[in-house]
Every structure is written in C-alpha cells, then in structure tokens.
Amino acid sequence: MLKFRCILTSKPDEIDHDGEMKDSQVFWFHQDEGKKSSFTLNSSDASSPLKIDKPCHLLIDCSQTGTPWIFGGLEIQTNSRNVEVYAVPEGKDGAEYWQTHRGSREDDDSLLGGNDADPCENELYNAVILSPSSKPESIVKLHVKLLSLRPARCTVGFVRSMKLKGRLPDIQTIMSNVENVTIASPTVSASSQDTATIPVHMPPKRTLLAPPPQLAPLRESTGDIFSALSALTMMIKNIHGSMETALETTSGGIQKMAYSQNSKIVGLEGNVGKLQEGVKSLTVEVMALREENLRLREELQLERISLQLERREMTNDADKIQKLIADKFVCDKDVISKLLDEQRQLIIKEIRGGEVE
C-alpha cells in the first residue's frame, strides 16, 4: 500500500547513529477515502502537534524510501508567510530549488486556534505548491522550508494541515501488478482401495490479478485525468491566492499612495492657508506703513511751511531791526551834531567873552 510520510526537522543535514535525522518528528499522511492519489495530514489527527523550532524544514517522501513518485501538488496551511520548495528529482542525489510561494492569509476564524492557543496558531497562511513546468514530476523527496513565521518574532513553525497529491509512476503500477500474478499448481487426489492419496500434476495455469489489457489504458487514462483535474484545481487555487495577494498588495499600495497624496494635499492646503494669512498680515502691514508714510509726509510738509513762515518772520524782524538801527543812528547823528554845535557855540562865546574883558 502506498503511503507518504512527513519529517519535521530543524537539522535536515545532521544524521544520528541510527541513520535518522536529529531533532526530527515523523508523521504519516492518511489516504483520502475513495481517492487513490490524495492524502491528508492534519495537526488535530496527529499524535502530537505539527510544530518545530526555527529553522523549520518539512521533508515528504514515499514509504518505500528512495522510490520515485509522481508529485501532483501540495496544499499546506501554516504560520509561514513564505515557503521555499526544493525537490530531489529521480536519478539525482542533491535537492534542486523549485520556487518560493507567498501564502494567502486565512480569514476563517473557526480554523484558527483561539484565545487559549499558542500565538503561532492564530495567524495562518494557505499556499498551493505545484511542480514547475520545467521540472520533472517524478521525484524522490520534496523539501519545504518555512520562512517568515508569524506573528512577528515567532520562533516556532506550526503546520495545521497538508493535502498531498501523489502516486507511483505507471511503470511501477505495472510492475506491482506483475508481482501480484501468481502461478497456481493444483493437485488432484484420487482415492484407492487402500485410501492412499496419489498426487496428479496438472499443467500450470496462469491467473492474472491485474485488470484485462483492454481496460488498463482506460484506468490509466482515468487516473491521469483525475491527477490532471487535481493539479488544475490546485493551480486554480494557487492562481486565486496569488491574485488575492496581488490585489491586496496593489490595493494596499494604492491606499498608501492615496493616504500619502492626501497627507501632501492637506499639508499643501495648510501651507496655502498659512501663506494666505501671511499675505493678509503683510497687506495690513503695508497699508499701515503707507498711512504712516502719508502722515509723515504731511507732518514734514507742515514743518516745512512753518519753517518758511518762521524764516519770513525772522527776515521781517531783521529788516525792522535794521531800519530801527538806521533810524536811531540818523537820530543819534542829528543829536550829536546839535550837541557839537551847541558846544562849539559855547566855546566860541567863552572865547569872545574873554577877549572883551
């Protein structure tokens, strides 16, 4: 019976003395009822929670170690926002990088852990992993690395559920059918008088347990169709998740841009308002300066007029003074002349009087 196992480990490259990985846990997928190539692993159904300390590695391989198998897709729900996918192709020893997936956040609160659960169980992301078109589908091991654990600064990786699509290659199915072919060699016993059993060997008869040859291609094609439909479904889910992530990223960027533009517009409006207030205040100051200038000009004009009047008055006063001085000088000159004449006459009289005597 085909079975798949999942190994959770923090040290995928370290092997202990028993040939097992160190610090690892092994869990087995359960085959979905009525589906040959669909397998599920839920944390609620496991013997212990699917948790591993950082760094978190998930290694998925077939129960028959080293047997190649067809990878049809993996849908995983973890607290990892990004997952890196590696694979060991058939016929090769080392793992090859496939791709990095960004999960879409789980919005259904009923699938989260709740208030009493660990924080790593309350922020989950869904990722759908498909094999790249350029890579072979037949692999030996799938290696998934959990990155960007949530919530922030979380150091524990948690896997809530995994849905795996996988089957053995067609040639393996044919070989298993051939191994189930048995060759029956019946014996016929006859009874004689002495009750002795005589074996009689009959020609060998082949019994085919595999389906008739004409039905095998139909069953194989039906299995391929189911695998293709499963891969198509997972691809659609992956595209839907990628579109949702892209829309969320785009809408978030648009919202941030709109918020930034609104902030800039509000800032510009505030600056415009400040500029308008500044212009108003400057206009008031200019008007006040103009009025002050007119008042000073009027005062200066009045001062000039008053100075001119004072100068005129001073000029008139100077003329009056000069005239008075001139009039007084003439008057004084006449008085002095009279006094001199009088003195002269007196002197003459005295002289004449002395001569008479």
Side-chain angles (χ1 to χ4, degrees):
M1 180 180 178
L2 178 62
K3 294 181 67 177
F4 289 96
R5 68 174 180 176
C6 177
I7 302 175
L8 271 68
T9 180
S10 299
K11 302 175 181 178
D13 299 327
E14 296 186 11
I15 308 298
D16 58 15
H17 298 291
D18 299 330
E20 300 292 339
M21 294 183 184
K22 292 183 179 181
D23 301 330
S24 63
Q25 305 177 51
V26 180
F27 300 92
W28 293 92
F29 284 85
H30 300 286
Q31 186 173 4
D32 295 343
E33 185 177 356
K35 298 180 180 180
K36 294 183 179 181
S37 60
S38 181
F39 302 85
T40 304
L41 177 59
N42 293 319
S43 179
S44 58
D45 300 334
S47 58
S48 61
L50 302 178
K51 294 182 180 180
I52 192 70
D53 292 334
K54 189 177 181 181
C56 310
H57 298 269
L58 279 67
L59 306 178
I60 301 174
D61 60 1
C62 183
S63 57
Q64 303 173 9
T65 306
T67 301
W69 50 283
I70 302 296
F71 173 72
L74 176 67
E75 184 177 358
I76 184 171
Q77 187 179 64
T78 68
N79 67 325
S80 171
R81 191 174 183 180
N82 299 307
V83 293
E84 281 186 359
V85 184
Y86 302 83
V88 180
E90 180 182 0
K92 296 185 180 180
D93 296 332
E96 294 182 355
Y97 171 78
W98 270 12
Q99 53 200 337
T100 300
H101 287 271
R102 182 182 179 90
S104 58
R105 186 164 182 176
E106 178 59 61
D107 297 330
D108 190 354
D109 295 337
S110 62
L111 300 178
L112 304 180
N115 297 329
D116 298 332
D118 291 341
C120 63
E121 300 181 21
N122 286 323
E123 187 173 345
L124 302 178
Y125 294 85
N126 297 313
V128 178
I129 301 170
L130 299 174
S131 60
S133 58
S134 60
K135 301 294 182 180
E137 294 182 352
S138 180
I139 63 175
V140 177
K141 184 183 296 182
L142 186 70
H143 184 177
V144 180
K145 186 176 181 181
L146 305 183
L147 305 174
S148 304
L149 302 180
R150 291 293 185 267
R153 295 184 293 276
C154 180
T155 59
V156 177
F158 170 67
V159 181
R160 184 184 179 276
S161 65
M162 286 188 289
K163 293 182 180 180
L164 175 67
K165 299 291 183 180
R167 61 182 177 85
L168 293 175
D170 295 336
I171 188 172
Q172 295 288 343
T173 305
I174 295 174
M175 293 300 296
S176 64
N177 290 336
V178 172
E179 291 176 359
N180 290 331
V181 175
T182 59
I183 300 176
S185 299
T187 59
V188 178
S189 60
S191 299
S192 62
Q193 298 265 331
D194 54 358
T195 65
T197 303
I198 302 173
V200 180
H201 294 280
M202 301 294 292
K205 182 181 180 181
R206 296 179 181 271
T207 303
L208 297 177
L209 299 182
Q214 64 273 15
L215 296 179
L218 179 59
R219 293 187 179 181
E220 292 176 2
S221 61
T222 304
D224 293 338
I225 291 173
F226 280 124
S227 300
L229 289 175
S230 300
L232 181 60
T233 302
M234 299 184 76
M235 185 182 297
I236 291 173
K237 289 183 179 179
N238 188 19
I239 293 173
H240 185 265
S242 300
M243 290 179 63
E244 287 184 348
T245 304
L247 287 174
E248 289 178 358
T249 304
T250 305
S251 62
I254 291 173
Q255 289 178 356
K256 289 182 180 179
M257 187 181 297
Y259 179 77
S260 177
Q261 294 295 332
N262 289 333
S263 300
K264 290 181 180 179
I265 291 172
V266 171
L268 290 174
E269 289 178 350
N271 293 333
V272 169
K274 291 180 180 179
L275 288 173
Q276 290 177 349
E277 292 179 357
V279 170
K280 289 181 180 178
S281 62
L282 288 174
T283 304
V284 172
E285 291 180 0
V286 168
M287 294 298 293
L289 289 174
R290 286 180 178 177
E291 292 178 357
E292 184 69 17
N293 190 16
L294 291 174
R295 186 180 63 80
L296 291 175
R297 286 183 178 181
E298 291 177 356
E299 291 181 356
L300 181 61
Q301 189 69 21
L302 293 174
E303 189 70 22
R304 286 178 180 177
I305 294 171
S306 63
L307 287 174
Q308 289 177 358
L309 294 175
E310 288 179 358
R311 284 180 181 178
R312 288 179 183 177
E313 291 178 357
M314 290 178 64
T315 303
N316 295 330
D317 292 340
D319 293 340
K320 289 179 181 180
I321 292 171
Q322 288 180 358
K323 187 177 181 180
L324 290 173
I325 291 172
D327 294 340
K328 188 175 181 182
F329 177 77
V330 171
C331 181
D332 292 341
K333 185 178 180 180
D334 294 338
V335 172
I336 293 171
S337 296
K338 288 180 180 182
L339 290 175
L340 289 175
D341 291 338
E342 290 177 358
Q343 289 293 332
R344 189 179 294 113
Q345 289 178 3
L346 288 176
I347 292 171
I348 292 172
K349 286 181 180 181
E350 287 179 359
I351 293 171
R352 286 177 179 178
E355 289 179 358
V356 173
E357 293 178 357

